[in-house]
Amino acid sequence: MKDDRSRELWQRSQKVIPGGVNSPARAMLAVGREPLFIRSARGCYIEDVDGNRYIDYVGSWGPLILGHADPDVVAAVKKAAEKGTSFGAPTEAEVNFAEMLTRLIPSMEQVRLVSSGTEATMSALRLARGYTERDLIVKFDGCYHGHSDGLLVASGSGLATLGLPSCPGVPAEVAGLSVSIPYNDLAALEKLFHEKGDKIAAVIIEPVAGNMGVVPPAPGYLQGVREICDEYGSLLIFDEVITGFRVALGGAQELYGVTPDLTTLGKIIGAGLPLGAYGGKAEIMQKVAPCGPVYQAGTLSGNPLATAAGLRALDMLDVAGVYQRLEENSAKLYDGLGDIFTKAGVPHYGNRVGAMFSYFFQKGPVTDWTSASKSDTEAFGRWFRAMLGRGVYLAPSQFECTFMSLAHDADAIEQTLSAAEEAIKEV
Ligand SMILES: Cc1ncc(COP(=O)(O)O)c(C=O)c1O
Ligand SMILES: NCC(=O)CCC(=O)O
């Protein structure tokens, strides 16, 4: 694999960009190589600046469930751009988009558009605190909700990958308002509420965790979390930045039949453009300025290019059979990989929910961060590099997801499994 040009760019980039990357997850530090610089992508393929082509299972970290450069999405963005890239005033597309979101995710009676998942969760927490007039937030070890101060506590994603349990720069007073406890452990949540329930504004949870690798909720767990929140008058926030429009059209809340008070979205709803959203019960959303006192704003919020892309993408997902196809293709790849690991005698444990899955290099089971962190990350690094060398681009961390898209067809799956049969010999 030739990577001269990527290397050269990495040398240059490190002089002007910390670590050479604009987000730590891209650095590939945990898998023992330098990042590849990408010049283009289409469908399920990405191409780096040295001309290597890979089947891509990162999908820009989740947004590209339609595949890269979907022609309809690109056309919608072009058309919107010609009419102006930002107005700082309301548009018809925003109304259409909000109507679509509230129709497809009925618990979101009202919705605010923002520009990232981080903004969505940060704003939802502020609203929950403003609404309940309480300060404490509960989160779960290994879950990641973006990089706002109060959420960088026992976080998943890049912090888990780099082994950063906390983050300098977050004042202890702020971190102290977020309590993090193990995922999938109702007894721990009950105990915490028993002690501090009247101070807890909200519980924020990834209804399927995707930032410690994929960890599904145990049967009944989300229902249990809902009941505890109700008992103590705390809000339940589902962070569906990853799971929204991925595990089902109506997200994890539809799949598991549990209704949160607030939902946060990002990734897929922007189809690769910067777009996030938070929303929920109208009574709560009415507290947001200008109709209420909880301030939240954004120069580029509801950006016309992003909403045009999002509208087109959600239209294409709201078609009978789409999620069935994603499910079937994801199962085919996931099962095929499992067979290859088994045949090779490599200890592994898999978790999959729809079009997101992870294989952990350990015997498992993996139900929370404590169990996920027991994985053999050196083995994962060897696996990652062996797959990359055979044209398959996986997320460069044991603690991230493999994302399928509608562009991953039978051919791509076949090629991936052939690569895996060879690659596993190097693990
Ligand atoms: C569940 C979850 N919430 C929030 C975020 C933050 O989103 P963003 O990176 O768009 O700020 C992410 C991913 O990065 C995420 O996976
Ligand atoms: N699952 C983790 C992410 O999606 C993060 C991507 C990033 O921060 O670059």
Side-chain angles (χ1 to χ4, degrees):
M1 188 181 119
K2 196 166 143 303
D3 61 359
D4 304 354
R5 183 94 183 100
S6 270
R7 279 233 165 117
E8 188 190 317
L9 284 170
W10 193 55
Q11 295 307 332
R12 270 174 59 199
S13 70
Q14 288 176 92
K15 295 196 180 114
V16 285
I17 300 173
V21 288
N22 280 314
S23 191
R26 302 174 191 176
M28 297 199 175
L29 282 174
V31 290
R33 61 155 297 134
E34 297 108 53
L36 296 175
F37 285 70
I38 304 303
R39 70 176 174 205
S40 66
R42 195 165 186 87
C44 69
Y45 294 95
I46 53 170
E47 192 176 299
D48 69 19
V49 287
D50 288 286
N52 301 302
R53 204 165 92 120
Y54 309 88
I55 303 172
D56 176 30
Y57 290 100
V58 181
S60 188
W61 300 86
L64 300 175
I65 201 163
L66 299 170
H68 290 275
D70 177 87
D72 287 359
V73 171
V74 171
V77 173
K78 277 188 182 158
K79 199 168 150 201
E82 275 162 14
K83 293 186 189 158
T85 52
S86 183
F87 311 119
T91 64
E92 184 173 348
E94 284 170 296
V95 185
N96 293 338
F97 193 63
E99 284 173 352
M100 188 166 216
L101 285 181
T102 54
R103 176 172 65 80
L104 295 175
I105 305 183
S107 77
M108 300 177 89
E109 295 168 2
Q110 293 203 327
V111 61
R112 245 301 154 79
L113 302 184
V114 293
S115 300
S116 69
T118 295
E119 271 187 83
T121 56
M122 178 185 78
S123 308
L125 290 190
R126 184 183 304 135
L127 175 58
R129 285 171 161 145
Y131 178 79
T132 59
E133 299 179 357
R134 299 175 180 178
D135 285 343
L136 283 188
I137 297 294
V138 178
K139 71 172 289 290
F140 298 92
D141 303 345
C143 284
Y144 176 70
H145 305 286
H147 64 94
S148 68
D149 282 358
L151 286 167
L152 291 181
V153 176
S155 272
S157 183
L159 293 99
T161 304
L162 296 170
L164 306 171
S166 63
C167 177
V170 176
E173 290 83 351
V174 173
L177 295 175
S178 305
V179 185
S180 191
I181 59 170
Y183 195 79
N184 269 331
D185 184 346
L186 269 185
L189 189 68
E190 256 161 20
K191 183 164 172 286
L192 178 62
F193 267 87
H194 190 70
E195 291 161 6
K196 301 185 173 160
D198 60 339
K199 297 190 175 59
I200 296 172
V203 172
I204 184 166
I205 188 167
E206 290 181 71
V208 177
N211 285 291
M212 47 179 142
V214 174
V215 176
Y221 176 62
L222 295 175
Q223 284 83 353
V225 176
R226 174 74 272 181
E227 280 161 23
I228 294 171
C229 285
D230 286 343
E231 189 184 332
Y232 288 88
S234 305
L235 300 188
L236 176 58
I237 304 173
F238 273 8
D239 181 356
E240 299 230 39
V241 166
I242 288 180
T243 54
F245 299 97
R246 175 162 292 281
V247 298
L249 185 62
Q253 52 196 275
E254 178 184 283
L255 187 65
Y256 295 102
V258 176
T259 306
D261 300 297
L262 294 173
T263 298
T264 56
L265 296 169
K267 299 199 190 265
I268 289 176
I269 63 164
L273 277 88
L275 182 56
Y278 69 101
K281 289 194 178 126
E283 184 210 337
I284 304 172
M285 292 303 289
Q286 285 293 307
K287 297 282 181 206
V288 177
C291 44
V294 179
Y295 202 75
Q296 179 271 312
T299 301
L300 298 179
S301 288
N303 174 267
L305 272 59
T307 42
L311 268 171
R312 194 68 203 101
L314 297 194
D315 245 346
M316 289 164 76
L317 292 171
D318 185 16
V319 169
V322 160
Y323 285 89
Q324 187 56 32
R325 182 146 62 92
L326 271 170
E327 167 63 27
E328 285 165 13
N329 285 344
S330 304
K332 198 160 135 194
L333 178 63
Y334 175 81
D335 294 345
L337 288 172
D339 289 345
I340 289 168
F341 293 147
T342 303
K343 257 189 228 143
V346 173
H348 64 284
Y349 185 84
N351 281 325
R352 180 178 76 84
V353 179
M356 58 192 279
F357 68 80
S358 295
Y359 274 107
F360 299 89
F361 284 89
Q362 60 157 299
K363 286 211 185 90
V366 177
T367 57
D368 58 9
W369 172 242
T370 301
S371 46
S373 64
K374 290 183 181 138
S375 304
D376 182 348
T377 51
E378 294 295 321
F380 180 86
R382 291 192 292 277
W383 164 245
F384 172 89
R385 294 192 301 272
M387 287 296 270
L388 192 73
R390 290 170 178 80
V392 180
Y393 189 90
L394 301 170
S397 165
Q398 170 74 95
F399 308 116
E400 300 283 359
C401 315
T402 303
F403 288 128
M404 287 289 282
S405 80
L406 287 160
H408 290 84
D409 55 13
D411 253 12
I413 295 170
E414 207 46 57
Q415 281 178 54
T416 306
L417 291 174
S418 306
E421 276 182 16
E422 292 301 312
I424 199 70
K425 295 175 190 159
E426 292 174 25
V427 174

